[in-house]
Amino acid sequence: MAEFQIEKREVSEVDIISLHGFLDAHTAPQLESVFTSLIDNSKYKIVIDFQNLKYISSAGLGVFMAFIETIRENSGDIKLSAMQPNVFEIFDLLGFPMLYEIFDTTEEAINKFITN
Amino acid sequence: MTAKKNRSYELIVKSETSQLVAIRDFISEKAKENLIQDSILNAIILAVDEAATNIVKHAYNYNPENTINLKLIISDKDCTIVLTDFGKSFDPSVIPQPDMKEYLSQHRVGGLGLLLIRTLMDSMEYIVSPEGFNRLILKKVFDKAVV
C-alpha cells in the first residue's frame, strides 16, 4: 500500500477528505494539491477525516495552516475529526485545538456545517 | 542484573524526503528490538523526522545527491540519535522559539520542526565541525515520557 492516500467525498455541500497512512514532508504536497483544487472550485466547507492517518509531522500540520485564512475569509472552515491518539497528541502539543475545531467523529464535523 | 552494553545502529540515506519513511522504519525496528515503549518511540520518530526534513530542506536545499547519516545508540537509560550532514550549517541558538499563541493567531506556516525537536527530546546539541560536517545529537531519557 502507498505510504499516503487521500479519498474524497461530498455530503450536503461539505467536502470530506479522508487521510490514510503517513503525512510528512514527502506526502504533504499531495494534500496541498487537494486544498488548492477545492479553493479553485470555491469549496470552503471542508472536513478532514483522520481516522486512518497513522502519523503526522510538522509538514503535515503546515498544510492546514497554509489554507485556513483563505478558507475562513470565504465563510468556510477546516474541521478535523476522528484523530488517533498519537496524531491528536501532536496537534495538542502545539496548541492547534485553539485554532481548529476537532470532533470525535466525522459525522459530528459534517453536522456542524449543516446545522450552522 | 548487570547493565547491558550500549547497542549502536547506523543508517545512511540519500537526502530526499522520500527517505523519511526509511528513517522512521529503521528507528521503529531497532526500538522494538530493544523493547522501547511506544510513547518514547513516537517522540523519537517525530523528532528525527523533523531533523532529517530540516537537513533535506536547509542543509542541502533539496539536492538529493547528498547523504544523511543516522546513528542510534541505545543504552539501558536513554537513546541517543546522531544525525550527520555535510551541507550548510545553522546556529540553532539564533532561531527563535515560536510563541504558539501568536503563531496560531497569525496563521503562520513552517518553522515548527525545531520546536517539536526541543519539546520531544530531553537534550539537543548541534556541532559544526571544521572538517565540513554538521552533527545534531538528540537524547531521549527512558523514564521521562513526554508524548
Side-chain angles (χ1 to χ4, degrees), chain B residues 123-140:
Chain B
S123 72
M124 181 189 106
E125 191 185 350
Y126 185 73
I127 298 164
V128 180
S129 160
E131 288 159 51
F133 60 83
N134 311 304
R135 196 158 267 172
L136 181 71
I137 305 166
L138 308 176
K139 188 168 277 197
K140 184 74 182 165

Side-chain angles (χ1 to χ4, degrees), chain A residues 24-26 55 57-59, chain B residues 11 13-24 27 44-63 66-70 81-85 90 113-114 117 126 136 138:
Chain A
D24 63 11
H26 188 62
Y55 174 84
S57 72
S58 70
Chain B
L11 177 74
V13 294
K14 287 186 87 174
S15 54
E16 310 183 277
T17 54
S18 63
Q19 296 300 308
L20 292 171
V21 62
I23 291 173
R24 294 195 301 265
I27 296 170
I44 295 171
I45 284 178
L46 182 55
V48 176
D49 178 316
E50 298 292 345
T53 300
N54 282 345
I55 291 173
V56 170
K57 276 162 77 172
H58 304 300
Y60 290 137
N61 196 23
Y62 293 101
N63 180 346
N66 297 292
T67 56
I68 301 170
N69 296 19
L70 177 74
I81 308 102
V82 183
L83 289 115
T84 306
D85 71 76
F90 75 108
L114 203 55
I117 295 169
Y126 185 73
L136 181 71
L138 308 176

Side-chain angles (χ1 to χ4, degrees), chain A residues 3 22 24-26 55-59 62 65-66 68-69 72 86 89-90 93-96 98-99, chain B residues 17-18 20-21 24 42 45-46 49-50 53 100-101 103-104 106-109 112-113 115-116 119-120 147:
Chain A
E3 189 192 340
F22 298 79
D24 63 11
H26 188 62
Y55 174 84
I56 191 163
S57 72
S58 70
M65 290 303 285
I68 192 68
E69 198 160 355
R72 287 192 179 155
N86 63 312
E89 275 164 7
I90 306 308
L93 191 67
L94 294 172
F96 275 56
M98 200 174 94
L99 189 61
Chain B
T17 54
S18 63
L20 292 171
V21 62
R24 294 195 301 265
N42 289 341
I45 284 178
L46 182 55
D49 178 316
E50 298 292 345
T53 300
M100 283 312 293
K101 251 189 177 165
Y103 183 99
L104 291 163
Q106 293 172 357
H107 299 159
R108 274 152 58 183
V109 182
L112 294 179
L115 174 67
L116 276 173
T119 307
L120 295 166
V147 172

